Amino acid sequence: MNAAAGVVPIGWLELALATGFILATGALSLRLGLRLEKDLAIAAARTYAQLLALGFVLRWVFDVNAWWLVVGLLALMVAAAARVILKRAPDAPKGLFGTSAFAVALTGFTVTFAVTGLVVRVQPWYDARYVIPIGGMVLGNSMTGIALAIERTFADLDARAEEMLALTALGATRWEAAAPSVRAALRAGLIPTIAAMSAAGIVFIPGMMTGQILAGADPLEATKYQIVVMLMVSAATAIGAVTAVMLSYGRRFTADGVYLEKGFREDAR
Amino acid sequence: MLFDARGITVTLPGDAGPCRVLDGVDLGLAVREIVDVVGPSGSGKTTLLRALARLLPGATGTLTLAGEPAESVEPHVWRTRVTLLPQRAAIVGGTVRDNLLLPWRLMVRAPGDTPADSVLRPALDNVGLDVDLDRDASRLSVGQAARVALLRVLLARPRVLLLDEPDASLDPASAEQVRGMTRAFAEDGGGVVRVRHQPSDDLASRRFRLEGGRLAEVGA
């Protein structure tokens, strides 16, 4: 197969061969007593099952290529991302699913369609081959940023409970009491994205660009796509994290602006 | 009557179900009066101070300041008039000046009223704090931090001061300075409720004991 004509196909035998690396890692885990053999086996099996399923689903979605299917799939991805955010933030108050889903959906839909419609200019607007992969990248990255920011916000609020009591006693509003935690959390949520943008092309070749080059694309064209993706991912992470944190931090305060310390919470989890 | 609290009742979630920590507590305070509240650990003394400052979720009862009922005052405005100083001094990052001016960084106060260094410096000297205004506040000793936190509240000029064990864990000299600051505040027309564990001093005109959710006067 000529690589310039497209991706070099991988046979089922070659795919199975890749498992050898995991077997080697498992052997290492046994030898060093890491007790990770079972986790490795399950994770490897999930990688096979989930990604192969995704391949079949995407093949079908690309064939059908209907707007309702593309939007429906994005909505499913949003719901899954919101669930992951809740799991990663155990200190967060209950009932954050709606807020998380809203923040992910806002960034996911806005940034994805802004890129596919205004930058890549796909026709039709819902072309699954572009919208689904780009949406996936946007949602995945904004999910990570939102989860980090939410987790950090509520952990920091608890750590600053005494300081916030003193501030509130001096007349601070809930925003004035919470602002240092919110700022620290948003910085924490955005730093990985900024670091990734700074290191791109020097420390690593980003995943999407790698994929396009392997698929036979011109490196310069792949670079242009990658720049767009990195910028949109930063925007999605920032908008998502700010939206989710600003909509949720107040849930730990009473209507009178008092922070609900652990002993006063009905939804302690 | 400067300050009046009637029927303060607080029920908090406990390990064995809801627990009534305060059961209809009444407490009045005249102008220039200092009262002490004592009681065993866990009897609800800190809870009472937080309820008076409207810093406690779910507290019920009526509060009045200079004849004005609490309901007619926004909670964050009420707290600038009836101000709690928590037991552990909360020192924020920055200098001693940053800490003293913290109340004026809040929207509830007009920035134009921010005290100048010419006010802060003598205020520090008056309470025996020989520290530079530009000093990193994280380097203050426990006694110095306690006095900075108290001075910060006093500079903001509340009507009623709620002090949660103000001289606990302080060296005798620092504790004496804190007592002096408290006395001066009351003589200037304020009212003070102190929660204490220490033996009675000559500041309080009345002394109450909190036990079983009830407050009973035990004499000065």
Side-chain angles (χ1 to χ4, degrees):
Chain A
M1 170 65 74
N2 181 358
V7 66
V8 181
I10 295 178
W12 292 104
L13 181 66
E14 288 87 348
L15 196 57
L17 265 178
T19 315
F21 291 106
I22 284 295
L23 288 177
T25 315
L28 210 60
S29 165
L30 261 179
R31 183 89 180 86
L32 296 176
L34 303 181
R35 295 183 184 175
L36 286 174
E37 308 85 65
K38 193 178 163 192
D39 290 340
L40 273 170
I42 293 173
R46 284 189 64 162
T47 304
Y48 269 101
Q50 289 168 195
L51 290 183
L52 283 173
L54 177 69
F56 283 116
V57 169
L58 285 184
R59 187 183 266 180
W60 172 67
V61 171
F62 290 178
D63 282 346
V64 177
N65 204 23
W67 72 266
W68 53 268
L69 189 58
V70 172
V71 172
L73 205 59
L74 283 179
L76 268 179
M77 289 154 78
V78 164
R83 272 182 61 89
V84 171
I85 290 170
L86 294 195
K87 276 194 172 177
R88 284 197 201 166
D91 288 334
K94 276 184 179 171
L96 272 190
F97 182 83
T99 307
S100 307
F102 174 75
V104 178
L106 181 76
T107 56
F109 282 86
T110 312
V111 177
T112 301
F113 285 110
V115 169
T116 55
L118 301 174
V119 181
V120 188
R121 293 172 189 272
V122 298
Q123 288 295 338
W125 62 269
Y126 53 82
D127 190 350
R129 187 169 289 277
Y130 289 90
V131 172
I132 296 293
I134 289 177
M137 276 187 289
V138 172
L139 291 176
N141 282 283
S142 83
M143 174 188 80
T144 307
I146 291 172
L148 201 59
I150 290 265
E151 191 277 328
R152 181 71 184 266
T153 298
F154 291 103
D156 203 62
L157 286 175
D158 274 343
R160 289 183 54 250
E162 276 188 9
E163 182 189 325
M164 286 199 296
L165 177 66
L167 279 167
T168 312
L170 288 169
T173 60
R174 62 183 186 179
W175 165 248
E176 287 172 322
S181 299
V182 170
R183 290 198 186 99
L186 289 177
R187 284 178 61 84
L190 296 182
I191 281 173
T193 311
I194 294 169
M197 284 205 293
S198 307
I202 299 174
V203 183
F204 68 99
I205 301 178
M208 182 185 176
M209 194 170 156
T210 308
Q212 281 195 310
I213 292 172
L214 286 177
D218 171 37
L220 194 59
E221 285 305 313
T223 302
K224 288 183 192 165
Y225 263 91
Q226 189 60 56
I227 291 171
V228 169
V229 164
M230 297 214 84
L231 296 183
M232 78 182 190
V233 157
S234 317
T237 309
I239 299 167
V242 170
T243 307
V245 170
M246 294 306 284
L247 287 178
S248 63
Y249 83 89
R251 287 169 179 261
R252 272 280 180 262
F253 289 82
T254 65
D256 282 354
V258 179
Y259 183 67
L260 284 166
E261 292 147 72
K262 281 185 176 159
F264 298 114
R265 295 176 198 160
E266 285 173 9
D267 69 340
R269 37 188 275 177
Chain B
M1 184 71 72
L2 173 65
F3 177 77
D4 196 34
R6 294 283 143 208
I8 303 299
T9 300
V10 174
T11 303
L12 294 177
D15 294 336
C19 172
R20 182 158 287 195
V21 182
L22 299 179
D23 191 9
V25 168
D26 298 334
L27 180 65
L29 198 59
V31 175
R32 298 188 184 83
E33 187 178 22
I34 298 174
V35 301
D36 279 353
V37 175
V38 298
S41 291
S43 58
K45 302 185 295 296
T46 298
T47 303
L48 173 62
L49 292 191
R50 287 188 60 166
L52 301 182
R54 296 176 71 184
L55 281 165
L56 200 69
T60 58
T62 59
L63 297 169
T64 316
L65 179 68
E68 189 175 19
E71 303 84 65
S72 61
V73 182
E74 287 284 324
H76 67 288
V77 176
W78 175 268
R79 292 172 201 134
T80 65
R81 299 173 187 171
V82 180
T83 303
L84 167 74
L85 181 68
Q87 184 183 355
R88 291 212 350 214
I91 296 298
V92 298
T95 63
V96 170
R97 183 189 292 102
D98 294 334
N99 272 274
L100 291 176
L101 296 184
L102 187 60
W104 289 272
R105 278 171 39 204
L106 306 175
M107 287 182 287
V108 72
R109 289 179 188 83
D113 296 340
T114 307
D117 282 3
S118 57
V119 174
L120 299 182
R121 187 64 260 170
L124 281 172
D125 295 337
N126 277 345
V127 297
L129 272 169
D130 186 21
V131 293
D132 200 282
L133 281 167
D134 290 316
R135 181 166 178 178
D136 181 354
S138 65
R139 290 174 50 221
L140 294 173
S141 70
V142 173
Q144 289 172 327
R147 279 178 282 166
V148 166
L150 177 55
L151 187 57
R152 176 170 68 195
V153 171
L154 294 176
L155 286 166
R157 304 184 71 81
R159 300 294 309 278
V160 174
L161 194 53
L162 308 169
L163 301 177
D164 194 354
E165 303 202 29
D167 42 10
S169 68
L170 292 188
D171 61 90
S174 297
E176 191 48 46
Q177 292 285 1
V178 165
R179 276 194 285 276
M181 294 162 82
T182 308
R183 182 189 293 116
F185 171 77
E187 285 171 352
D188 206 25
V192 181
V193 180
R194 290 191 306 178
V195 158
R196 296 184 82 228
H197 276 304
Q198 282 80 359
S200 180
D201 57 18
D202 59 350
L203 283 192
S205 59
R206 288 181 295 157
R207 194 173 170 88
F208 295 89
R209 184 171 182 83
L210 184 62
E211 200 159 11
R214 300 265 181 182
L215 198 61
E217 189 167 347
V218 290

